[in-house]
């Protein structure tokens, strides 16, 4: 006799699920981004799919980041398996065209009351085509990442465009030095009762202020680089006015948007007092067309192989020079400069990165300087963004 909790929609008695093909494809593509890395744990290359009231829940994790979403489905309550992400995504994208997908577990064994099925195979039905994938039991799947019991959780919302802009504008300056692990992420914290994002690698400091008020709550969390990139990647192309629900506790951050919950372990460390390296208002200011400056620096670097560029400011002229293994080059451009004549050198890659972060639209940017050895302040067309760029001695 068949169990009462089995939905009577399929000709087979095996646990099955009928889902929308387009939704399944989109969700698989999203979760598969977490399954591409090399790991000695086979189940981490799989997506867990399990029945829930009204549909199926899909989960992927790399142990540090996890993504969860759901799809409405006609599903057998016993359905539960982990399927290989890469193979499943390929089928969803390239399999026989169909509007729906049927997943059927091919049972190896079942317990006596038929409430649970252990399967090593899952059939995927796409129109008239049928494919069989290897499956793993969900018991092998890691425990879900959750806030620790008793931890205080700060909850607030951020516009998706604001969050994407803040992460995208700071990720590039994150340190990759493993010995300074506390710099290997974006520092999300309260500054003047508003949310601020900061990153630094010791050579440059990127700050993105927002208008998100945190009230009486003092937030301080270091979101690891990989998690910041994953969230930014999911937001890219989907960022707008829609809010992102955010939860931050001592060890975990959660971002909920696009019907997806992304949970990440935070870096357990103390971010340094970065405000000490922010210079007071420098007395020399150059206003420059960011797109033109970037193009000229790129041309010099490509032609000379130089890693450092020299900028000489005088009146309405900026002279740019570089020397590298392939030779030396000079160029110039107009700028609005206020202050005494000054020559300063920057790492070419860091300078181009700062230009892109300050003015991705190639409009005017400002560089404020005190002298050739002090940090320079960079701002541009992105409201609330500030860069601190250390000069080189070369």
């Amino acid at each position: 006799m068949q169990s009462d909790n089995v939905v009577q929609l399929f000709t087979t008695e095996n646990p099955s699920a009928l889902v929308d093909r387009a939704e399944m494809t989109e969700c698989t593509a999203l979760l598969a981004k977490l399954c591409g890395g090399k790991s000695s744990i086979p189940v981490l290359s799989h997506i867990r799919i399990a029945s829930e009231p009204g549909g199926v829940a899909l989960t992927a994790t790399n142990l540090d980041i996890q993504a969860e979403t759901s799809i409405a489905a006609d599903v057998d309550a016993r359905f539960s398996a982990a399927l290989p992400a890469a193979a499943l995504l390929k089928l969803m994208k390239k399999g026989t065209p169909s509007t729906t997908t049927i997943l059927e577990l091919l049972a190896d064994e079942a317990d006596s009351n038929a409430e649970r099925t252990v399967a090593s195979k899952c059939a995927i039905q796409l129109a008239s085509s049928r494919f069989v994938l290897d499956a793993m039991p969900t018991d092998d799947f890691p425990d879900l990442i959750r806030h620790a019991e008793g931890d205080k959780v700060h909850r607030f919302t951020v516009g998706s465009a604001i969050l994407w802009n803040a992460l995208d504008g700071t990720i590039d300056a994150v340190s990759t030095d493993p010995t300074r692990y506390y710099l290997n992420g974006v520092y999300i914290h309260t500054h003047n009762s508003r949310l601020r994002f900061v990153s630094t690698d010791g050579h440059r400091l990127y700050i993105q202020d927002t208008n998100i008020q945190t009230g009486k709550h003092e937030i301080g969390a270091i979101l690891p680089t990989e998690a910041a990139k994953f969230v930014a990647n999911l937001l890219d192309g989907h960022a707008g006015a829609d809010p992102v629900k955010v939860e931050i506790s001592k060890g975990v951050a959660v971002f909920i948007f696009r019907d997806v919950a992304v949970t990440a372990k935070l870096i357990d460390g103390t971010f340094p007092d970065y405000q000490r390296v922010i210079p007071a208002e420098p007395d020399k200011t150059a206003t420059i067309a960011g797109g033109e400056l970037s193009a000229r620096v790129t041309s010099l670097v490509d032609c000379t192989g130089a890693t450092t560029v020299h900028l000489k400011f005088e009146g309405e002229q900026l002279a740019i020079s570089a020397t590298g293994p392939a030779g030396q080059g000079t160029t110039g451009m107009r700028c609005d400069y206020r202050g005494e004549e000054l020559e300063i050198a920057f790492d070419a890659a860091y300078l181009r990165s700062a230009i892109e972060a300050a003015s991705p639209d190639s409009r005017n940017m400002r560089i404020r300087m005190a002298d050739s050895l002090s940090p320079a302040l960079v701002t541009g067309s992105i409201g609330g963004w500030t860069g601190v760029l250390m000069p080189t001695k070369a």
Side-chain angles (χ1 to χ4, degrees), residues 23 40 48 58 60 106 117 142 155 161 165 189 203 211 271 330 343 360 377 386:
E23 283 191 77
S40 59
R48 187 181 74 170
L58 295 86
L106 306 180
T117 299
R155 294 180 172 89
N165 184 67
H189 64 295
H203 303 284
N211 59 0
F271 204 81
T330 59
E343 182 171 353
L377 282 174
T386 303

Side-chain angles (χ1 to χ4, degrees), residues 35-96:
C35 304
K38 295 180 181 179
S39 174
S40 59
I41 305 175
V43 76
L44 296 185
S45 64
H46 291 58
I47 294 173
R48 187 181 74 170
I49 305 175
S51 65
E52 66 175 13
V56 290
L58 295 86
T59 307
T61 183
N62 64 6
L63 298 182
D64 294 315
I65 310 168
Q66 118 196 331
E68 304 166 83
T69 189
S70 297
I71 303 176
D74 294 315
V75 60
D76 186 314
R78 299 169 299 166
F79 191 96
S80 178
L83 303 182
L88 181 61
L89 180 58
K90 186 176 291 186
L91 280 180
M92 291 298 101
K93 286 186 172 182
K94 299 184 178 181
T96 307

Side-chain angles (χ1 to χ4, degrees), residues 121-379:
K121 302 287 183 182
C122 180
I124 312 291
Q125 189 80 29
L126 302 173
S128 59
S129 298
R130 182 179 172 88
F131 305 87
V132 177
L133 297 180
D134 290 333
M136 297 186 69
T138 54
D139 285 354
D140 294 342
F141 214 75
D143 292 337
L144 297 179
I145 305 171
R146 293 289 187 256
H147 298 295
E149 187 175 353
D151 277 358
K152 185 175 182 180
V153 181
H154 301 292
R155 294 180 172 89
F156 54 93
T157 60
V158 181
S160 54
I162 293 174
L163 180 59
W164 178 83
N165 184 67
L167 293 174
D168 185 68
T170 53
I171 284 175
D172 203 37
V174 170
S175 174
T176 58
D177 182 356
T179 65
R180 305 174 74 188
Y181 67 93
Y182 46 85
L183 299 181
N184 297 164
V186 177
Y187 182 40
I188 305 172
H189 64 295
T190 300
H191 178 74
N192 292 335
S193 299
R194 287 177 168 78
L195 204 61
R196 170 180 274 192
F197 296 70
V198 174
S199 64
T200 183
D201 58 7
H203 303 284
R204 53 197 166 149
L205 170 73
Y206 289 177
I207 300 171
Q208 180 64 59
D209 284 312
T210 75
N211 59 0
I212 305 301
Q213 295 187 351
T214 58
K216 298 179 181 178
H217 303 301
E218 288 291 329
I219 295 171
I222 307 174
L223 184 66
T225 306
E226 186 180 11
K229 287 182 176 179
F230 184 73
V231 173
N233 183 264
L234 297 189
L235 286 168
D236 195 9
H238 298 271
D242 294 340
V244 177
K245 296 179 181 179
V246 182
E247 300 177 359
I248 294 179
S249 63
K250 181 180 179 181
V252 169
V254 183
F255 303 88
I256 303 172
F257 57 98
R258 289 180 62 190
D259 297 322
V260 179
V262 177
T263 305
K265 295 178 181 178
L266 299 173
I267 293 175
D268 183 12
T270 301
F271 204 81
D273 182 10
Y274 63 89
Q275 296 191 65
R276 293 183 304 171
V277 303
I278 302 175
E281 288 295 321
D283 60 350
K284 303 173 182 64
T285 302
T287 303
I288 317 166
E292 183 180 354
L293 176 59
S294 180
R296 290 181 180 275
V297 170
T298 299
S299 176
L300 281 179
V301 169
D302 288 348
C303 293
T304 65
T307 58
T308 300
V309 292
H310 292 256
L311 308 181
K312 184 176 181 180
F313 297 94
E314 184 177 10
E316 295 183 352
Q317 290 295 316
L318 166 61
I320 312 167
S321 61
T323 301
Q328 65 180 61
T330 59
T331 186
M333 60 180 288
R334 291 180 60 83
C335 75
D336 181 2
Y337 178 66
R338 307 294 173 87
E340 297 178 354
E341 179 182 325
L342 174 67
E343 182 171 353
I344 190 169
F346 294 110
D347 178 281
Y350 294 159
L351 178 59
R352 286 187 291 177
S353 168
I355 295 170
E356 174 61 27
S359 295
D361 54 9
S362 298
R363 295 182 181 179
N364 279 350
M365 56 177 286
R366 286 170 298 281
I367 304 178
R368 289 177 287 168
M369 301 156 285
D371 52 57
S372 61
L373 298 178
S374 300
L377 282 174
V378 181
T379 55

